[in-house]
Amino acid sequence: MDFNLLRQVEPELLDVLAADDPRALRSRKDLRRVHRAMATLSIVQSALDRGTAGFIPHTLLEIGAGDGSLMLRLSRTRADCWRGVDVTLLDRMNLVETPTLEGIHKSGWTPRVVALDIFNWLERPIDSRTDVVIANLFMHHFSSYKLVQILAGIEARSRVFLCCEPRRSALSLLGSHCIGLLGAGSVTRQDAVSSVHAGFRGQELSALWSNPHNWILHEYPAGLFSHCFLAIRKEHI
Ligand SMILES: C[S@@+](CC[C@H](N)C(=O)[O-])C[C@H]1O[C@@H](n2cnc3c(N)ncnc32)[C@H](O)[C@@H]1O
């Protein structure tokens, strides 16, 4: 097991498989189990509590939202305090199934799916700011060069940004090699290891944020295997 201090970004198998390929379907199901094992929802909730202290968001955007299952769980736990939120689920593949959308609706939030590559989204004119943009297991897909573009686009379009990514650490690498114990299939087993090599540590994402003066940035390890980056626009505090 080789742990490299430098980030290594390589295409993940899930990104090249067709949406309806059985191996991709299996891997997305695995991801839901991985979220529970990594305590993703509680990590995201704590970061959101910190990021939205003092205001209640009305618009929420998840980039690289996958099947929308994390947003569904978030809506179920948050809807009592954040009422009537407009939710946009952006992913280059349209993976969100009707029961997921119905579940979000049932929580009192209004979901909308945008099947678009993030770079096409960034080319769209900025008409308004989204209160909170979140990303889970998404930012690590990109090289630093592309991350600078994505982060600048988010910066122009949001009040709070949170991402929860793999932590590039020896413990995460060990965990990624053991992910088969959760019953994960071959695609997830391979992608988990690649994800850790492409993950983050230290203040790597803060260093790519173009305008730190107008924002409060927090970047920290979370749980056993995650790395969070939270940016809060100063005018919102
Ligand atoms: C590892 S999955 C994570 C999905 C979801 N956020 C989760 O935590 O279960 C990464 C997601 O990013 C999407 N993705 C990858 N590159 C993208 C791009 N350039 N634009 C938009 N979505 C992209 C993939 O389709 C995939 O659904």
Side-chain angles (χ1 to χ4, degrees), residues 20-224:
D20 58 353
D21 185 305
R23 290 167 298 167
L25 295 173
R26 164 79 189 271
S27 183
R28 274 192 288 279
K29 199 169 161 200
D30 293 343
L31 273 179
R32 295 199 279 272
R33 212 171 307 137
V34 170
H35 289 158
R36 290 183 192 274
M38 290 177 77
T40 305
L41 183 62
S42 67
I43 290 171
V44 167
Q45 299 243 62
S46 307
L48 286 176
D49 284 342
R50 192 177 191 182
T52 62
F55 85 104
I56 293 180
H58 299 293
T59 49
L60 206 51
L61 163 68
E62 183 175 358
I63 52 177
D67 64 6
S69 55
L70 185 65
M71 186 60 78
L72 172 61
R73 292 173 66 210
L74 187 66
S75 74
R76 287 179 174 152
T77 52
R78 285 267 140 175
D80 281 348
C81 46
W82 295 356
R83 291 172 187 273
V85 176
D86 283 331
V87 178
T88 304
L89 298 160
L90 181 144
D91 198 287
R92 70 176 173 194
M93 294 186 191
N94 187 349
L95 302 166
V96 188
E97 293 183 351
T98 306
T100 305
L101 292 174
E102 285 172 353
I104 296 174
H105 260 300
K106 242 187 192 164
S107 305
W109 290 7
T110 307
R112 179 173 73 111
V113 174
V114 176
L116 198 64
D117 190 282
I118 186 78
F119 292 98
N120 296 125
W121 176 70
L122 291 173
E123 283 167 10
R124 288 185 169 185
I126 304 171
D127 43 13
S128 61
R129 277 190 194 143
T130 302
D131 288 334
V132 179
V133 175
I134 68 172
N136 186 62
L137 299 181
F138 175 65
M139 306 299 281
H140 72 276
H141 285 79
F142 303 98
S143 65
S144 296
Y145 174 76
K146 288 191 169 171
L147 282 173
V148 167
Q149 297 167 35
I150 296 172
L151 291 172
I154 291 168
E155 201 175 319
R157 292 167 175 79
S158 65
R159 298 190 157 91
V160 173
F161 171 61
L162 163 69
C163 67
C164 182
E165 297 295 322
R167 188 185 325 155
R168 204 169 73 256
S169 71
L171 181 64
S172 302
L173 193 58
L174 179 66
S176 69
H177 280 283
C178 298
I179 209 161
L181 296 174
L182 296 177
S186 60
V187 171
T188 312
R189 291 202 302 272
Q190 183 169 326
D191 283 352
V193 175
S194 309
S195 301
V196 171
H197 286 297
F200 302 98
R201 57 192 284 141
Q203 301 296 304
E204 289 175 337
L205 286 160
S206 306
L208 304 177
W209 193 258
S210 66
N211 184 3
H213 305 294
N214 295 337
W215 294 75
I216 302 219
L217 306 181
H218 302 278
E219 187 164 4
Y220 52 93
L224 289 178

